[in-house]
Amino acid sequence: MSNPFTKVLIVEDNDGDAMLIRKMLEGAEAQHFEVTRAESLSEATKLIGVKTFDAILLDLSLPDSHGIQTIESLRAVAASIPVIVMTGLSDETVGLNAVQKGAQDYLVKGKVDAFRLVSSIRFSIERQRTIIEKDKVERPKAQIITLTSYKGGTGVSSIAVNLAYTLATTVKKKVLLIDAAGFANHISILLNLRPKCNLADICKQGKELDKQFLDTAFSTLGDNLSIICGLLKTSDFYDINPSFIKSLLETVSYDFDFIIIDTKAGLLDELNMLAIQQADMLFVISTTELLAMRDTKFYISALQEFGIPEEKIKFILNRDDLDVGILDKKLAQKKIDIPIYSSLPNDWQLSVKASNYGKPILDVDPKSKLGLAYKNFAAKVANVNLVSFKQDSSKPEEEKEKKKGMFPWG
Ligand SMILES: Nc1ncnc2c1ncn2[C@@H]1O[C@H](COP(=O)(O)OP(=O)(O)O)[C@@H](O)[C@H]1O
Ligand SMILES: [Mg+2]
């Protein structure tokens, strides 16, 4: 092990037991240990949020948690730290159950000596590391989707939020949503979040990001959606460092299926440029007004001039049935000169209602045209077939195929 000290957190309410373990570890000759003790699950959770640990020794009976629930709660806040459970003489089956719930090992109090304790810690750390490495090899890298537009107000933040939520809930993908749109902080408003950490706090950690810190830094909604909220105060701006954000994307790239980045309008900003360059798919959002279309056409050619490959750029038409501008989607497609990847109907009332409630469109009205359009959009992004979400207006695939040849832009 390269680090001279192995940092161990003992979670144990019994002073005598805690002292015994501390003595064994501090007396170990083969390895140096730095020992921290928590007397309850809540104290342990707090410590994990502010300090790094290599391993946790966990007593399952604590003043604020008992039995298997203790390991489940701890793993929820410290999934990447190996946990060794300490059980009483009479409950070895509990130890085995804990291993099934993700503990690396269990030790029976009163039967453990310094040698067994130290080797269990070393073994658990190694095993956890192997699991993480194996997971990396087996899991594909997250696809990064950046949403952008030439001007503000076209629906970038709304689409980022609703696409992320639909991918997480309907398609069951693991999604990280990042608000890189500056001070507007629209994502936390649209999802009614009270974030503990934002993008600036994560940047403050520097390049070497600690997974344990990240486990507690993300806000979450349901099982599959993690969120990093935007900037809150002027001083946050000075903490933003695009190269640290690049490291963040690398560090978490095997933990998610999709990373969705909301940006503020325009190109000429270091953070926007990073989000655009890192994208596997770049969704350029436009509404239907003629001027918006012109701007979008110009914007897409500027992106290409900046070296963004054409195949990464996807055109999204928002509020496609709004009573202004280009009403014919085919004409819109022709104007922009690239195919429409997805289009979303106008539903001002539902959009306002959703943002007032701080809820995604799908939670407010899943059967609405806009809700269905999000389901189809998410299915396309995840490359899955959600036939049942087909909208009434959509033509059968065959017919679409036949028509393709009739229009040069089809
Ligand atoms: N499909 C839609 N139908 C109706 N209103 C929409 C739609 N998409 C977004 N909006 C509304 O448009 C406004 C701007 O959206 P927002 O997501 O903040 O845009 P941006 O992030 O591009 O500035 C918001 O009031 C939002 O509710
Ligand atoms: Mg926005």
Side-chain angles (χ1 to χ4, degrees):
M1 243 167 277
S2 55
N3 195 335
F5 281 94
T6 304
K7 296 183 216 83
V8 175
L9 173 66
I10 304 176
V11 192
E12 168 66 83
D13 58 329
N14 183 301
D15 289 341
D17 288 344
M19 179 69 78
L20 204 69
I21 293 165
R22 185 188 281 275
K23 275 198 171 152
M24 283 190 217
L25 291 180
E26 288 177 349
E29 280 171 11
Q31 193 148 348
H32 298 296
F33 290 94
E34 186 183 300
V35 181
T36 308
R37 179 189 168 197
E39 293 180 33
S40 63
L41 183 65
S42 55
E43 196 188 343
T45 308
K46 269 189 211 139
L47 281 166
I48 289 161
V50 292
K51 281 188 77 170
T52 337
F53 297 103
D54 299 307
I56 301 174
L57 289 166
L58 177 70
D59 175 21
L60 292 181
S61 302
L62 295 167
D64 53 353
S65 179
H66 289 276
I68 279 303
Q69 183 58 46
T70 315
I71 175 102
E72 285 176 346
S73 310
L74 193 75
R75 297 267 305 151
V77 293
S80 53
I81 317 174
V83 178
I84 299 152
V85 159
M86 299 179 294
T87 66
L89 276 174
S90 56
D91 40 39
E92 272 204 59
T93 42
V94 175
L96 282 171
N97 276 344
V99 169
Q100 276 164 6
K101 293 281 175 198
Q104 286 298 351
D105 198 2
Y106 73 94
L107 300 169
V108 180
K109 285 184 196 172
K111 275 196 183 171
V112 55
D113 58 15
F115 178 78
R116 170 85 175 88
L117 179 64
V118 172
S119 51
S120 170
I121 293 173
R122 290 180 110 165
F123 169 79
S124 299
I125 292 172
E126 266 330 301
R127 226 175 83 109
Q128 181 82 17
R129 192 172 300 163
T130 320
I131 289 172
I132 290 171
E133 289 304 315
K134 194 163 159 254
D135 214 36
K136 266 192 196 172
V137 176
E138 283 174 3
R139 258 194 104 93
K141 238 181 162 178
Q143 276 206 56
I144 300 177
I145 299 175
T146 298
L147 289 93
T148 179
S149 74
Y150 181 75
K151 66 177 186 95
T154 58
V156 172
S157 301
S158 309
I159 297 174
V161 161
N162 286 292
L163 176 63
Y165 186 76
T166 313
L167 277 169
T169 52
T170 309
V171 200
K172 307 266 179 273
K173 295 290 176 186
K174 284 239 167 253
V175 182
L176 173 65
L177 173 62
I178 304 179
D179 187 339
F183 291 104
N185 216 4
H186 282 170
I187 286 183
S188 62
I189 297 165
L190 290 172
L191 292 175
N192 194 22
L193 302 168
R194 276 164 202 78
K196 295 166 277 179
C197 269
N198 67 9
L199 197 58
D201 297 315
I202 291 173
C203 280
K204 276 189 211 154
Q205 303 292 308
K207 230 179 178 134
E208 294 295 318
L209 274 164
D210 178 22
K211 281 256 188 182
Q212 279 168 243
F213 167 79
L214 291 178
D215 278 344
T216 57
F218 298 156
S219 302
T220 53
L221 198 63
D223 290 338
N224 291 333
L225 179 58
S226 301
I227 304 123
I228 303 177
C229 294
L231 311 184
L232 288 167
K233 45 189 191 304
T234 348
S235 61
D236 282 346
F237 177 75
Y238 300 102
D239 292 317
I240 289 295
N241 180 326
S243 76
F244 293 173
I245 294 174
K246 195 168 172 216
S247 311
L248 165 74
L249 296 176
E250 276 158 20
T251 310
V252 299
S253 63
Y254 291 97
D255 302 338
F256 295 96
D257 299 305
F258 292 97
I259 299 175
I260 295 186
I261 311 179
D262 176 24
T263 63
K264 62 173 182 283
L267 249 183
L268 303 169
D269 167 295
E270 236 191 321
L271 180 55
N272 268 12
M273 210 55 217
L274 174 94
I276 286 169
Q277 276 163 345
Q278 292 296 308
D280 298 302
M281 284 202 269
L282 183 63
F283 287 165
V284 179
I285 321 290
S286 181
T287 45
T288 54
E289 307 92 276
L290 272 171
L291 288 179
M293 287 284 177
R294 259 186 73 114
D295 290 347
T296 304
K297 188 175 168 60
F298 162 78
Y299 187 46
I300 289 174
S301 43
L303 287 166
Q304 287 168 350
E305 273 174 43
F306 275 112
I308 308 298
E310 204 177 319
E311 64 275 11
K312 287 191 179 179
I313 301 175
K314 315 280 177 200
F315 172 40
I316 314 292
L317 194 58
N318 191 22
R319 313 179 78 171
D320 64 6
D321 52 355
L322 187 65
D323 233 0
V324 293
I326 299 178
L327 300 180
D328 182 350
K329 278 191 223 168
K330 296 205 170 75
L331 193 58
Q333 205 157 251
K334 193 180 175 196
K335 270 255 171 265
I336 299 291
D337 218 15
I338 62 169
I340 297 174
Y341 180 86
S342 186
S343 73
L344 298 155
N346 178 54
D347 193 334
W348 186 76
Q349 254 181 342
L350 178 56
S351 299
V352 170
K353 202 167 161 188
S355 46
N356 283 352
Y357 287 164
K359 281 186 173 178
I361 298 288
L362 273 196
D363 276 8
V364 179
D365 190 352
K367 293 211 171 91
S368 59
K369 242 178 123 187
L370 187 54
L372 292 173
Y374 271 118
K375 286 184 185 174
N376 282 320
F377 187 9
K380 184 166 185 180
V381 168
N383 203 13
V384 292
N385 197 4
L386 298 182
V387 183
S388 53
F389 299 132
K390 216 170 211 173
Q391 286 177 53
D392 295 336
S393 58
S394 59
K395 302 256 180 329
E397 281 310 312
E398 261 179 52
E399 209 176 310
K400 276 190 202 160
E401 279 306 309
K402 260 191 263 161
K403 284 202 162 178
K404 248 186 185 170
M406 292 167 64
F407 301 96
W409 57 83

